[in-house]
Coordinates of all heavy atoms in Angstrom, one line a residue:
V1 N 104.3 102.9 76.7 CA 103.6 101.8 76.0 C 102.5 101.2 76.9 O 101.4 101.0 76.5 CB 104.6 100.8 75.6 CG1 103.9 99.6 75.0 CG2 105.6 101.3 74.6
I2 N 102.8 101.0 78.2 CA 101.9 100.4 79.1 C 100.7 101.4 79.3 O 99.5 100.9 79.3 CB 102.5 100.1 80.5 CG1 103.6 99.0 80.3 CG2 101.5 99.7 81.5 CD1 104.4 98.8 81.5
N3 N 100.9 102.7 79.4 CA 99.8 103.6 79.6 C 98.9 103.6 78.4 O 97.7 103.7 78.5 CB 100.4 105.0 79.8 CG 101.1 105.1 81.2 OD1 100.7 104.5 82.1 ND2 102.1 105.9 81.2
F4 N 99.4 103.6 77.2 CA 98.6 103.6 76.0 C 97.8 102.3 75.9 O 96.7 102.3 75.4 CB 99.4 103.9 74.7 CG 99.8 105.3 74.5 CD1 101.1 105.7 74.7 CD2 98.8 106.2 74.2 CE1 101.4 107.1 74.5 CE2 99.1 107.6 74.0 CZ 100.4 108.0 74.2
G5 N 98.5 101.2 76.3 CA 97.8 99.9 76.3 C 96.6 99.9 77.3 O 95.6 99.4 77.0
F6 N 96.9 100.5 78.4 CA 95.8 100.6 79.4 C 94.6 101.4 78.9 O 93.5 101.1 79.1 CB 96.3 101.2 80.7 CG 95.2 101.4 81.8 CD1 94.7 100.3 82.4 CD2 94.8 102.6 82.1 CE1 93.7 100.5 83.4 CE2 93.8 102.8 83.0 CZ 93.2 101.7 83.7
M7 N 95.0 102.5 78.2 CA 93.9 103.4 77.7 C 93.1 102.6 76.6 O 91.9 102.8 76.6 CB 94.5 104.6 77.1 CG 93.5 105.7 76.6 SD 94.3 107.2 76.2 CE 95.5 106.7 75.0
M8 N 93.8 101.9 75.7 CA 93.1 101.1 74.7 C 92.2 100.1 75.3 O 91.1 99.8 74.9 CB 94.1 100.5 73.7 CG 94.8 101.6 72.9 SD 93.6 102.6 71.9 CE 92.8 101.4 70.9
F9 N 92.7 99.4 76.4 CA 92.0 98.4 77.1 C 90.7 99.0 77.7 O 89.6 98.4 77.6 CB 92.8 97.7 78.1 CG 92.1 96.7 79.0 CD1 91.7 95.5 78.5 CD2 91.7 97.0 80.3 CE1 91.1 94.6 79.2 CE2 91.0 96.1 81.1 CZ 90.7 94.9 80.5
W10 N 90.9 100.1 78.3 CA 89.7 100.8 78.9 C 88.7 101.2 77.9 O 87.5 100.9 78.1 CB 90.2 102.1 79.6 CG 89.2 102.9 80.3 CD1 87.9 102.7 80.5 CD2 89.5 104.2 81.0 NE1 87.3 103.7 81.2 CE2 88.3 104.7 81.5 CE3 90.7 105.0 81.1 CZ2 88.2 105.8 82.2 CZ3 90.6 106.1 81.8 CH2 89.4 106.6 82.4
F11 N 89.1 101.7 76.8 CA 88.2 102.1 75.7 C 87.5 100.9 75.1 O 86.3 100.9 74.9 CB 88.9 102.9 74.6 CG 88.0 103.3 73.5 CD1 87.1 104.4 73.7 CD2 88.1 102.7 72.3 CE1 86.3 104.8 72.7 CE2 87.2 103.1 71.2 CZ 86.3 104.2 71.5
L12 N 88.2 99.8 74.9 CA 87.6 98.6 74.3 C 86.6 98.0 75.3 O 85.6 97.5 74.9 CB 88.7 97.6 73.9 CG 89.5 98.0 72.7 CD1 90.6 97.0 72.4 CD2 88.6 98.2 71.4
M13 N 87.0 97.9 76.6 CA 86.1 97.4 77.6 C 84.8 98.3 77.7 O 83.7 97.8 77.9 CB 86.8 97.2 78.9 CG 87.8 96.1 78.9 SD 87.3 94.6 78.2 CE 86.0 94.0 79.3
F14 N 85.0 99.6 77.5 CA 83.9 100.5 77.6 C 82.9 100.2 76.4 O 81.7 100.2 76.6 CB 84.3 101.9 77.6 CG 83.2 102.9 77.6 CD1 82.4 103.1 78.7 CD2 83.0 103.7 76.5 CE1 81.4 104.0 78.7 CE2 82.0 104.6 76.5 CZ 81.2 104.8 77.6
L15 N 83.5 99.9 75.3 CA 82.6 99.6 74.1 C 81.9 98.2 74.3 O 80.8 98.1 73.9 CB 83.5 99.6 72.8 CG 83.9 100.9 72.3 CD1 84.8 100.8 71.1 CD2 82.8 101.8 72.0
V16 N 82.7 97.2 74.7 CA 82.2 95.9 74.8 C 81.2 95.7 76.0 O 80.2 95.1 75.8 CB 83.3 94.9 74.9 CG1 82.8 93.5 75.1 CG2 84.2 94.9 73.6
A17 N 81.6 96.2 77.1 CA 80.8 95.9 78.4 C 80.1 97.2 78.9 O 80.1 97.4 80.1 CB 81.8 95.3 79.4
H18 N 79.6 98.0 78.0 CA 79.0 99.3 78.4 C 77.8 99.0 79.4 O 77.7 99.7 80.5 CB 78.6 100.1 77.2 CG 77.8 101.3 77.6 ND1 76.4 101.3 77.7 CD2 78.2 102.6 77.9 CE1 76.0 102.5 78.0 NE2 77.1 103.3 78.1
D19 N 76.9 98.2 79.0 CA 75.7 97.9 79.8 C 76.1 97.4 81.2 O 75.5 97.8 82.2 CB 74.8 97.0 79.1 CG 74.2 97.6 77.8 OD1 74.1 98.9 77.8 OD2 73.9 96.9 76.9
F20 N 77.0 96.4 81.2 CA 77.4 95.8 82.5 C 78.1 96.9 83.4 O 77.7 96.9 84.6 CB 78.4 94.7 82.2 CG 79.0 94.0 83.5 CD1 78.1 93.3 84.3 CD2 80.3 94.2 83.8 CE1 78.6 92.7 85.4 CE2 80.8 93.6 85.0 CZ 80.0 92.9 85.8
A21 N 79.0 97.7 82.9 CA 79.6 98.7 83.7 C 78.6 99.7 84.1 O 78.7 100.2 85.3 CB 80.7 99.4 82.8
Y22 N 77.7 100.1 83.3 CA 76.6 101.1 83.7 C 75.8 100.5 84.8 O 75.4 101.2 85.7 CB 75.7 101.4 82.5 CG 74.6 102.3 82.9 CD1 74.8 103.6 83.3 CD2 73.3 101.9 82.9 CE1 73.8 104.5 83.7 CE2 72.3 102.7 83.3 CZ 72.5 104.0 83.7 OH 71.5 104.8 84.1
Q23 N 75.4 99.2 84.8 CA 74.6 98.6 85.9 C 75.4 98.7 87.2 O 74.8 99.0 88.2 CB 74.3 97.2 85.5 CG 73.2 97.0 84.5 CD 73.0 95.6 84.1 OE1 73.8 94.7 84.5 NE2 71.9 95.3 83.4
I24 N 76.6 98.4 87.2 CA 77.4 98.4 88.4 C 77.5 99.9 88.9 O 77.3 100.1 90.1 CB 78.8 97.8 88.1 CG1 78.7 96.3 87.9 CG2 79.8 98.1 89.3 CD1 80.0 95.7 87.5
H25 N 77.9 100.8 88.1 CA 78.1 102.2 88.5 C 76.8 102.9 88.9 O 76.7 103.7 89.8 CB 78.8 103.0 87.4 CG 80.2 102.6 87.3 ND1 80.7 101.7 86.5 CD2 81.3 103.1 88.0 CE1 82.0 101.6 86.6 NE2 82.4 102.4 87.6
S26 N 75.7 102.5 88.2 CA 74.4 103.1 88.6 C 73.9 102.6 89.9 O 73.1 103.3 90.6 CB 73.4 102.9 87.5 OG 73.1 101.6 87.3
S27 N 74.3 101.4 90.3 CA 73.9 100.9 91.6 C 74.7 101.6 92.7 O 74.2 101.8 93.8 CB 74.1 99.4 91.7 OG 75.4 99.1 91.6
M28 N 75.9 102.1 92.4 CA 76.7 102.8 93.4 C 76.3 104.3 93.4 O 76.4 104.9 94.5 CB 78.2 102.7 93.1 CG 78.7 101.3 93.3 SD 80.5 101.2 93.1 CE 80.7 101.4 91.3
F29 N 75.9 104.8 92.3 CA 75.5 106.2 92.2 C 74.1 106.3 91.6 O 73.9 106.3 90.4 CB 76.5 107.0 91.3 CG 77.9 106.8 91.7 CD1 78.8 106.0 91.0 CD2 78.4 107.5 92.8 CE1 80.1 105.9 91.4 CE2 79.7 107.4 93.2 CZ 80.6 106.6 92.5
P30 N 73.1 106.4 92.5 CA 71.7 106.2 92.0 C 71.2 107.3 91.0 O 70.4 106.9 90.2 CB 70.9 106.4 93.3 CG 71.9 106.1 94.4 CD 73.2 106.4 93.9
G31 N 71.8 108.5 91.0 CA 71.3 109.5 90.1 C 72.0 109.5 88.7 O 71.8 110.3 87.9
L32 N 72.9 108.5 88.5 CA 73.7 108.5 87.3 C 72.8 108.0 86.1 O 72.3 106.9 86.1 CB 74.9 107.5 87.5 CG 75.9 107.4 86.4 CD1 76.6 108.8 86.2 CD2 76.9 106.3 86.7
T33 N 72.8 108.8 85.1 CA 72.1 108.4 83.8 C 73.0 107.8 82.8 O 74.3 108.0 83.0 CB 71.4 109.6 83.2 OG1 72.4 110.6 82.8 CG2 70.4 110.3 84.1
S34 N 72.5 107.2 81.9 CA 73.4 106.5 80.8 C 74.2 107.6 80.1 O 75.3 107.4 79.7 CB 72.5 105.7 79.9 OG 73.3 105.1 78.9
V35 N 73.5 108.7 79.8 CA 74.2 109.7 79.0 C 75.3 110.3 79.8 O 76.4 110.5 79.3 CB 73.2 110.8 78.6 CG1 73.9 112.0 78.0 CG2 72.1 110.3 77.7
R36 N 75.1 110.6 81.1 CA 76.1 111.1 82.0 C 77.3 110.1 82.1 O 78.4 110.5 82.2 CB 75.5 111.5 83.3 CG 76.5 112.2 84.2 CD 76.9 113.5 83.7 NE 77.9 114.1 84.6 CZ 78.9 114.8 84.3 NH1 79.1 115.1 83.0 NH2 79.7 115.3 85.2
F37 N 76.9 108.8 82.2 CA 77.9 107.8 82.3 C 78.9 107.8 81.1 O 80.1 107.8 81.3 CB 77.2 106.4 82.4 CG 78.2 105.3 82.5 CD1 78.9 105.0 83.7 CD2 78.3 104.4 81.5 CE1 79.7 103.9 83.8 CE2 79.1 103.3 81.6 CZ 79.8 103.1 82.7
V38 N 78.3 107.9 79.9 CA 79.2 108.0 78.7 C 80.0 109.3 78.7 O 81.2 109.2 78.4 CB 78.3 107.9 77.5 CG1 79.1 108.2 76.2 CG2 77.6 106.6 77.4
E39 N 79.4 110.4 79.1 CA 80.2 111.7 79.2 C 81.3 111.6 80.1 O 82.5 112.0 79.8 CB 79.3 112.8 79.6 CG 78.3 113.2 78.6 CD 77.3 114.3 79.1 OE1 77.4 114.6 80.3 OE2 76.5 114.8 78.3
L40 N 81.1 111.0 81.3 CA 82.2 110.9 82.3 C 83.3 110.0 81.8 O 84.5 110.3 81.9 CB 81.6 110.3 83.6 CG 80.8 111.3 84.4 CD1 80.2 110.5 85.6 CD2 81.7 112.4 85.0
H41 N 83.0 108.9 81.1 CA 84.0 108.0 80.6 C 84.9 108.7 79.5 O 86.1 108.6 79.5 CB 83.5 106.7 80.1 CG 83.4 105.7 81.2 ND1 84.5 104.9 81.6 CD2 82.4 105.3 82.1 CE1 84.1 104.1 82.6 NE2 82.9 104.4 82.9
Y42 N 84.2 109.4 78.6 CA 85.0 110.0 77.6 C 85.8 111.2 78.1 O 86.9 111.4 77.7 CB 84.0 110.6 76.5 CG 83.6 109.5 75.5 CD1 82.3 109.2 75.3 CD2 84.6 108.8 74.8 CE1 81.9 108.2 74.4 CE2 84.2 107.8 73.9 CZ 82.9 107.5 73.7 OH 82.5 106.5 72.8
Q43 N 85.3 111.9 79.1 CA 86.1 112.9 79.8 C 87.3 112.3 80.5 O 88.4 112.8 80.4 CB 85.3 113.7 80.8 CG 84.3 114.6 80.1 CD 83.4 115.3 81.1 OE1 83.4 115.0 82.3 NE2 82.5 116.2 80.7
L44 N 87.1 111.2 81.2 CA 88.2 110.6 81.9 C 89.2 110.0 81.0 O 90.5 110.1 81.2 CB 87.7 109.5 82.9 CG 86.9 110.1 84.1 CD1 86.3 109.0 84.9 CD2 87.8 110.9 85.0
I45 N 88.8 109.4 79.9 CA 89.7 108.8 78.9 C 90.5 110.0 78.3 O 91.8 109.9 78.1 CB 89.0 108.0 77.8 CG1 88.5 106.7 78.4 CG2 89.9 107.7 76.6 CD1 87.5 105.9 77.5
G46 N 89.9 111.1 78.0 CA 90.6 112.3 77.4 C 91.6 112.8 78.4 O 92.7 113.2 78.0
F47 N 91.2 112.9 79.7 CA 92.2 113.4 80.7 C 93.3 112.5 80.8 O 94.5 112.9 81.0 CB 91.4 113.6 82.0 CG 92.3 114.0 83.2 CD1 92.8 115.3 83.2 CD2 92.7 113.1 84.1 CE1 93.6 115.7 84.3 CE2 93.6 113.5 85.1 CZ 94.0 114.8 85.2
F48 N 93.1 111.2 80.8 CA 94.1 110.2 80.9 C 95.1 110.3 79.8 O 96.3 110.2 79.9 CB 93.6 108.8 81.0 CG 94.6 107.7 81.3 CD1 95.1 107.6 82.6 CD2 95.0 106.9 80.3 CE1 96.0 106.6 82.8 CE2 95.9 105.9 80.5 CZ 96.5 105.8 81.8
K49 N 94.5 110.5 78.6 CA 95.4 110.6 77.4 C 96.3 111.8 77.4 O 97.5 111.8 77.1 CB 94.5 110.7 76.1 CG 95.4 110.7 74.9 CD 94.7 110.7 73.5 CE 93.3 110.9 73.3 NZ 92.9 110.9 71.9
L50 N 95.7 113.0 77.8 CA 96.5 114.2 78.0 C 97.6 114.0 79.1 O 98.7 114.5 78.9 CB 95.6 115.4 78.4 CG 94.8 115.9 77.2 CD1 93.8 117.0 77.8 CD2 95.6 116.5 76.1
S51 N 97.2 113.3 80.2 CA 98.2 113.1 81.2 C 99.4 112.2 80.7 O 100.5 112.5 81.0 CB 97.5 112.4 82.4 OG 96.6 113.2 82.9
V52 N 99.0 111.2 80.0 CA 100.1 110.3 79.4 C 101.0 111.1 78.5 O 102.2 111.0 78.6 CB 99.5 109.1 78.7 CG1 100.5 108.4 77.9 CG2 98.8 108.2 79.7
I53 N 100.4 111.9 77.6 CA 101.2 112.7 76.7 C 102.1 113.7 77.4 O 103.3 113.7 77.2 CB 100.3 113.4 75.7 CG1 99.7 112.3 74.7 CG2 101.1 114.4 74.9 CD1 98.6 112.9 73.8
L54 N 101.5 114.4 78.4 CA 102.3 115.4 79.1 C 103.4 114.8 80.0 O 104.5 115.3 80.1 CB 101.4 116.3 79.9 CG 100.6 117.3 79.0 CD1 99.6 118.0 80.0 CD2 101.4 118.2 78.3
L55 N 103.1 113.7 80.6 CA 104.0 113.2 81.6 C 104.9 112.1 81.1 O 105.9 111.8 81.8 CB 103.2 112.6 82.8 CG 102.3 113.6 83.6 CD1 101.5 112.9 84.6 CD2 103.2 114.7 84.2
N56 N 104.7 111.6 79.9 CA 105.6 110.5 79.4 C 106.2 110.9 78.0 O 107.4 110.8 77.9 CB 104.8 109.2 79.2 CG 104.5 108.6 80.6 OD1 105.3 108.6 81.5 ND2 103.3 108.1 80.7
L57 N 105.4 111.3 77.1 CA 105.8 111.5 75.8 C 106.7 112.8 75.6 O 107.7 112.8 75.0 CB 104.6 111.6 74.8 CG 104.9 111.5 73.3 CD1 105.7 110.2 73.0 CD2 103.7 111.5 72.5
V58 N 106.2 113.9 76.2 CA 107.0 115.1 76.1 C 108.4 115.0 76.7 O 109.4 115.4 76.1 CB 106.2 116.3 76.7 CG1 107.0 117.5 76.8 CG2 104.9 116.5 75.9
P59 N 108.5 114.5 78.0 CA 109.9 114.3 78.5 C 110.8 113.4 77.6 O 112.0 113.6 77.4 CB 109.7 113.7 79.9 CG 108.4 114.1 80.2 CD 107.6 114.2 79.0
Y60 N 110.2 112.3 77.0 CA 110.9 111.4 76.2 C 111.4 112.2 74.9 O 112.6 112.0 74.5 CB 110.0 110.3 75.8 CG 110.7 109.4 74.7 CD1 111.7 108.5 75.1 CD2 110.3 109.4 73.4 CE1 112.3 107.7 74.1 CE2 110.9 108.6 72.4 CZ 111.9 107.8 72.8 OH 112.5 107.0 71.9
I61 N 110.6 113.0 74.3 CA 111.0 113.8 73.1 C 112.1 114.8 73.5 O 113.0 115.0 72.8 CB 109.7 114.4 72.5 CG1 108.8 113.4 71.9 CG2 110.2 115.5 71.5 CD1 107.5 113.9 71.5
A62 N 111.9 115.4 74.7 CA 112.9 116.4 75.1 C 114.3 115.7 75.3 O 115.3 116.2 74.9 CB 112.5 117.0 76.4
L63 N 114.3 114.5 75.9 CA 115.5 113.7 76.1 C 116.1 113.3 74.7 O 117.4 113.3 74.6 CB 115.3 112.5 77.0 CG 115.1 112.8 78.5 CD1 114.7 111.6 79.2 CD2 116.3 113.5 79.1
R64 N 115.3 112.9 73.8 CA 115.8 112.6 72.5 C 116.4 113.7 71.8 O 117.4 113.6 71.1 CB 114.7 111.9 71.6 CG 114.1 110.6 72.2 CD 115.1 109.6 72.3 NE 115.4 109.1 71.0 CZ 116.3 108.1 70.7 NH1 116.9 107.5 71.7 NH2 116.5 107.7 69.4
I65 N 115.8 114.9 71.9 CA 116.3 116.1 71.3 C 117.6 116.5 71.8 O 118.6 116.9 71.1 CB 115.3 117.3 71.4 CG1 114.1 117.0 70.5 CG2 115.9 118.6 71.0 CD1 112.9 118.0 70.7
T66 N 117.8 116.4 73.1 CA 119.0 116.8 73.8 C 120.1 115.8 73.6 O 121.3 116.0 74.0 CB 118.9 117.1 75.3 OG1 118.4 115.9 75.9 CG2 117.9 118.3 75.5
G67 N 119.8 114.6 73.1 CA 120.8 113.6 72.9 C 121.0 112.6 74.0 O 121.9 111.8 73.9
R68 N 120.2 112.7 75.1 CA 120.4 111.8 76.2 C 119.3 110.7 76.0 O 118.2 110.9 75.9 CB 120.1 112.5 77.5 CG 121.1 113.6 77.8 CD 120.8 114.3 79.1 NE 121.6 115.5 79.2 CZ 121.3 116.5 79.9 NH1 120.2 116.5 80.6 NH2 122.1 117.6 79.9
S69 N 119.8 109.5 76.0 CA 118.9 108.4 75.9 C 119.0 107.4 77.0 O 118.7 107.3 78.0 CB 119.2 107.5 74.7 OG 120.5 107.1 74.7

């Protein structure tokens, strides 16, 4: 639950504060374009979602199937 909440928070903050986050990151990485910034965030959000599913949800389902709770 916490992981999905963090992912939703990240996505919502990315939508709300896109320009602010881009200004901060482009000052740290001078060659970063706005398009690349968006691509990186969507890739990282997707990777985080897959990690949450593989590392949390799949073992939970396996435990529920075997009857151990």
